[in-house]
Amino acid sequence: MADDLSDALKKLKITTTDSTADSLEGCLDCLLQALAQNNTETSEKIQKSGVLQVFASLLTPQSSCTAKVANIIAEVARNEFMRNPCVDAGLIPPLVQLLNCKDQEVLLQTGRALGNICYDSHEGRNAVDHAGGAHIVVDHIRSLCSKTDPASEKLLTVFCGMLMNYSNENGATEATSEVRNTGVFPAPRAGCTPPSCPTTTSGRIAGGLTKPSPYPTYLVVSMRKDLSVGTQPLFTQHPWILLFGVSMCVTEGHEAIEIQVLDTLQSQLINMGVIPTLVKLLGIHCQNAALTEMCLVAFGNLAELESSKEQFAYTNIAEELVKLFKKQIEHDKKEMIFEVLAPLAENDVIKLQLVEAGLVECLLEIVQKTVDSDKEDDVAELKTASDLMVLLLLGDESMQKLFEGGKGSVFQRVLSWIPSNSHQLQLAGALAIANFARNDGNCIHMVDNGIVQKLMDLLDRHVEDGNVTVQHAALSALRNLAIPVVNKAKMLSAGVAEAVLKFLRSEMPPVQFKLLGTLRMLIDAQAEAAEQLGKNVKLVERLVEWCEAKDHAGVMGESNRLLSALIRHSKSKEVIRTIVQSGGIKHLVTMATSEHVIMQNEALVALALIAALELVTAEKDLENAQLVQILHRLLSDDRSAPEIKYNSMVLICALIGSEPLQKEVQSMAFLEVVSKLRSHENKTVAQQASLTEQRLAVES
């Protein structure tokens, strides 16, 4: 056999236009036979022989050998080391030209060859792009879409597979031997990865899965603005968004180029209008397993782009995917559909379409079937289904549809997850509650119907060496529930503050962040609770410690805000003394220099209360923190917001009650700065400037 192969390669190497078709056919048959027996070894010999360059001249529509040559190229391109040589040999342009011929076998083998060369190959995809191959393939799919005869479906499978590899960073594998000539098939991909540290905001958030592996995942957030204000006027209200625990992976060199090229190729396919065609194809050929798989992986590749989601939203993709999902029995097939559903469900329009198509019922059924199983596949399905359920609740319309005024069967089922023994269901249940708690009406209903006790019971189960993601999710839910004014007193009397304080010793930043946010929401305008917490030395000392957590900006920011809130809402001398003794003053002064106006204002209001109630106790710390210099800078800065200028002047007036601080004020020429503010466009600022100028003049 080895001798026959060598002879065949030699004959092909010296092939001329005088060679007979029969002699060429014999050589090509020999190569195909050798490839069938040992693909890798034969491919190496073909590469070394230099025959690839000869193939380029044999790829003509007129030749009877064209299909066999394309078949050989498809077979050798199954090997990674052969793809670039195929490109370098100039095979892509003639292969792309063959896509215009009418012969079905030539089209089949050409599609296989191009698809395999594109697999996991930047060079291959780029060459096909330059030759215009994708456009021709999309046109073929469009014209064949409605044909259901076996030959057309076979060709459609190959062309969809080619587009799949063209748009997929990880590519796909060849089919098994018995269907090798029908196209390229996707390798199984891993299921969903657990959510990592969340993005958090100062407003009401919701958590959930973003996309399946191999892509990194974060908890998705949906913000409801929390514009809490101090006791002094706020003339403009600024939503403040603080990103916590978010890292960005920046790739370099070839990988970065690869991602950029892939985005371009995927966008190109989307612009060609391939999505509606593939959705239509999925509906017509849903009984064809191979073709369905090609469509699903192609959808998965394209669905990552935001522009694709907009196109998908105008198709009946939700209906088709749910219909297909209901038919699946095998775990791998369900997983493939999940991997398309997850990125698509990031779009609010598609979320609602999926809910209306009955996806939620499918997910709940999976949860019910797998919750008590310890089989690896069942555990993976339980996680994916419950994560996707949480994701569907991120859309306001889809969430309200499922909440149904708190009487919805879906909402009731989700409630039953919280006392479950499954950590995954506890996590999903708590995150779902956090998502339902995105408007006051829902929050009030849930608190009135006992959800707080369920969440506290869940937290109690995770105090000692508990599951961090469950702790974080339960605290997220409690924080959102605490936003409506009418809920605060009810939650405080239920013991939520005490339950949250049990996690004060946690070393996990996501948990620290959430417990701080929950406490801050609870004490808003609740003087008694603020005083009780503000006198808690252990809490205040921990806050002061976290105010220095420079590696965790979210924890640092929330610690400062809670420290300020304890003073602003309690207006208690004892709370101020506790904070002074714990070393918290310097952090409040630093907070006044924050880039976020709302944080600056909260700090200034707290400092003004300190100066009004306990100036003697705090004067040394205020002096050491250089508060007077900072106030001078804030008043001199034209970019300072009106409320910052106003509260800075109020604070200056309070500080001159201290002899050492008064001397600092006099030494820094505040009169000059303040007098300019008398003509400020904001009337309240101008009025306060006049009052402050008079006060400074008297004291001087």
Side-chain angles (χ1 to χ4, degrees):
M1 181 65 199
D3 291 340
D4 292 344
L5 176 61
S6 297
D7 288 344
L9 289 171
K10 285 176 185 175
K11 286 179 184 177
L12 284 170
K13 188 71 186 293
I14 59 173
T15 294
T16 65
T17 51
D18 297 331
S19 300
T20 63
D22 288 344
S23 65
L24 277 176
E25 292 261 4
C27 293
L28 296 173
D29 286 339
C30 182
L31 262 61
L32 284 168
Q33 189 178 352
L35 285 164
Q37 290 181 356
N38 191 326
N39 190 300
T40 304
E41 188 180 321
T42 304
S43 294
E44 287 173 348
K45 288 180 179 178
I46 289 172
Q47 183 188 9
K48 288 175 183 174
S49 71
V51 162
L52 284 178
Q53 285 76 8
V54 175
F55 287 162
S57 63
L58 297 176
L59 291 169
T60 61
Q62 297 80 19
S63 171
S64 60
C65 302
T66 300
K68 283 186 180 177
V69 175
N71 190 356
I72 291 168
I73 296 168
E75 289 299 312
V76 300
R78 294 174 65 209
N79 301 285
E80 184 181 356
F81 66 88
M82 289 299 293
R83 289 168 203 145
N84 284 0
C86 285
V87 175
D88 295 339
L91 298 180
I92 300 296
L95 282 169
V96 169
Q97 286 305 309
L98 287 176
L99 290 172
N100 294 307
C101 81
K102 305 296 182 187
D103 187 291
Q104 201 149 20
E105 183 62 19
V106 171
L107 287 173
L108 190 75
Q109 299 304 338
T110 301
R112 288 186 62 237
L114 289 170
N116 285 357
I117 292 171
C118 284
Y119 170 63
D120 204 20
S121 168
H122 162 66
E123 290 77 11
R125 286 189 287 260
N126 212 23
V128 172
D129 176 33
H130 285 308
H135 204 291
I136 303 171
V137 169
V138 170
D139 284 344
H140 274 301
I141 292 173
R142 201 170 278 128
S143 65
L144 290 166
C145 182
S146 300
K147 297 182 179 178
T148 55
D149 59 283
S152 295
E153 286 198 331
K154 197 174 180 182
L155 201 49
L156 276 168
T157 305
V158 169
F159 285 148
C160 286
M162 182 261 175
L163 286 188
M164 178 188 73
N165 281 357
Y166 181 74
S167 61
N168 185 15
E169 181 179 359
N170 298 311
T173 58
E174 255 287 354
T176 52
S177 56
E178 59 268 26
V179 288
R180 184 167 291 152
N181 289 334
T182 62
V184 281
F185 280 72
R189 290 162 69 185
C192 299
T193 57
S196 68
C197 289
T199 299
T200 53
T201 75
S202 66
R204 180 167 290 151
I205 73 151
L209 170 74
T210 57
K211 58 189 70 152
S213 63
Y215 308 97
T217 63
Y218 298 98
L219 294 184
V220 177
V221 296
S222 175
M223 185 177 76
R224 183 173 176 217
K225 292 172 185 173
D226 157 35
L227 298 174
S228 51
V229 298
T231 54
Q232 298 291 338
L234 261 179
F235 305 110
T236 55
Q237 294 185 322
H238 299 264
W240 168 63
I241 304 173
L242 177 66
L243 296 182
F244 166 76
V246 177
S247 60
M248 182 177 289
C249 177
V250 181
T251 55
E252 297 178 3
H254 180 79
E255 288 181 12
I257 294 168
E258 177 74 348
I259 291 167
Q260 186 179 1
V261 168
L262 275 166
D263 281 351
T264 303
L265 298 182
Q266 290 166 348
S267 297
Q268 177 196 89
L269 290 175
I270 292 164
N271 291 337
M272 287 178 197
V274 75
I275 287 173
T277 301
L278 290 178
V279 174
K280 180 182 174 185
L281 188 149
L282 184 67
I284 294 170
H285 301 272
C286 59
Q287 301 301 324
N288 186 317
L291 185 48
T292 298
E293 287 189 16
M294 294 301 103
C295 283
L296 288 173
V297 180
F299 286 151
N301 297 341
L302 298 172
E304 299 298 328
L305 272 71
E306 203 56 42
S307 58
S308 78
K309 295 180 179 69
E310 293 167 11
Q311 277 200 24
F312 275 117
Y314 285 102
T315 70
N316 63 334
I317 186 67
E319 187 183 332
E320 293 296 350
L321 288 175
V322 173
K323 195 192 312 177
L324 189 64
F325 188 83
K326 288 177 179 177
K327 297 177 185 175
Q328 304 308 317
I329 299 171
E330 296 175 33
H331 168 76
D332 288 348
K333 297 292 192 298
K334 289 180 183 176
E335 199 65 29
M336 286 185 73
I337 300 172
F338 272 137
E339 291 195 9
V340 180
L341 288 169
L344 286 180
E346 292 171 12
N347 178 279
D348 283 354
V349 175
I350 300 176
K351 280 186 184 77
L352 185 59
Q353 291 172 355
L354 289 169
V355 168
E356 289 173 342
L359 178 61
V360 171
E361 288 72 19
C362 296
L363 298 177
L364 291 173
E365 189 178 335
I366 288 173
V367 168
Q368 189 174 351
K369 285 180 180 177
T370 58
V371 64
D372 296 320
S373 173
D374 54 5
K375 291 180 184 175
E376 191 176 341
D377 283 354
D378 287 345
V379 171
E381 272 192 36
L382 175 69
K383 170 164 177 47
T384 308
S386 54
D387 278 343
L388 188 51
M389 182 77 190
V390 171
L391 180 55
L392 291 175
L393 293 173
L394 279 167
D396 287 339
E397 285 189 77
S398 54
M399 179 269 287
Q400 283 300 95
K401 188 175 181 68
L402 295 173
F403 189 67
E404 291 183 79
K407 296 181 173 64
S409 60
V410 173
F411 173 66
Q412 296 302 325
R413 289 280 289 277
V414 166
L415 282 185
S416 72
W417 293 357
I418 293 175
S420 161
N421 290 322
S422 161
H423 283 182
Q424 174 56 36
L425 277 194
Q426 292 170 5
L427 169 65
L431 286 174
I433 296 304
N435 287 358
F436 281 124
R438 289 211 314 281
N439 64 55
D440 283 0
N442 291 4
C443 288
I444 293 166
H445 177 89
M446 286 191 280
V447 169
D448 287 345
N449 284 273
I451 189 63
V452 169
Q453 190 58 53
K454 291 179 189 291
L455 290 167
M456 288 199 300
D457 290 345
L458 178 60
L459 279 174
D460 274 343
R461 296 170 67 181
H462 290 276
V463 173
E464 300 296 332
D465 302 319
N467 184 295
V468 172
T469 56
V470 175
Q471 292 172 357
H472 176 270
L475 288 167
S476 295
L478 286 171
R479 180 198 180 283
N480 283 2
L481 290 167
I483 290 178
V485 175
V486 296
N487 280 359
K488 298 179 193 297
K490 294 173 185 176
M491 292 176 70
L492 285 165
S493 63
V496 172
E498 291 77 9
V500 170
L501 286 173
K502 291 177 184 176
F503 295 89
L504 205 55
R505 61 179 179 270
S506 171
E507 295 302 327
M508 303 305 294
V511 174
Q512 295 167 356
F513 183 86
K514 275 298 160 209
L515 76 86
L516 289 167
T518 306
L519 291 174
R520 186 167 63 81
M521 288 299 142
L522 282 171
I523 66 167
D524 188 11
Q526 304 297 310
E528 188 180 335
E531 183 168 8
Q532 189 177 347
L533 287 174
K535 292 189 293 187
N536 183 327
V537 177
K538 285 185 179 178
L539 169 61
V540 174
E541 287 178 347
R542 194 68 159 136
L543 291 182
V544 171
E545 179 188 336
W546 286 340
C547 282
E548 297 174 357
K550 291 183 171 56
D551 291 338
H552 303 289
V555 173
M556 188 166 69
E558 276 291 339
S559 298
N560 278 291
R561 294 192 80 188
L562 181 53
L563 208 57
S564 161
L566 291 171
I567 295 169
R568 289 184 293 111
H569 297 305
S570 71
K571 300 180 183 65
S572 161
K573 290 186 176 186
E574 197 171 341
V575 169
I576 293 170
R577 286 196 291 270
T578 304
I579 289 172
V580 171
Q581 288 161 11
S582 301
I585 296 297
K586 63 181 179 181
H587 297 298
L588 290 171
V589 175
T590 301
M591 183 181 169
T593 65
S594 168
E595 60 185 305
H596 305 290
V597 174
I598 197 166
M599 284 187 71
Q600 282 186 292
N601 198 65
E602 287 173 357
L604 290 171
V605 172
L607 289 166
L609 285 166
I610 291 169
L613 298 172
E614 279 291 323
L615 183 56
V616 175
T617 305
E619 69 178 358
K620 193 67 180 173
D621 286 352
L622 293 172
E623 189 178 1
N624 290 339
Q626 300 184 325
L627 174 60
V628 173
Q629 292 94 314
I630 287 169
L631 292 174
H632 189 276
R633 194 160 67 242
L634 290 174
L635 288 170
S636 304
D637 191 344
D638 292 338
R639 294 167 298 178
S640 292
E643 62 267 39
I644 300 306
K645 291 187 183 295
Y646 177 94
N647 284 330
S648 294
M649 289 187 285
V650 169
L651 185 48
I652 284 294
C653 291
L655 291 178
I656 56 179
S658 157
E659 188 177 340
L661 293 170
Q662 182 187 0
K663 285 180 180 176
E664 276 195 63
V665 171
Q666 289 173 343
S667 70
M668 294 197 70
F670 268 86
L671 266 172
E672 184 182 336
V673 177
V674 171
S675 65
K676 289 180 182 177
L677 293 175
R678 282 190 295 128
S679 57
H680 195 277
E681 62 185 0
N682 185 291
K683 288 182 180 178
T684 314
V685 171
Q687 288 170 1
Q688 184 59 38
S690 295
L691 292 171
T692 305
E693 186 180 34
Q694 291 170 22
R695 183 74 192 277
L696 289 173
V698 169
E699 294 297 332
S700 63

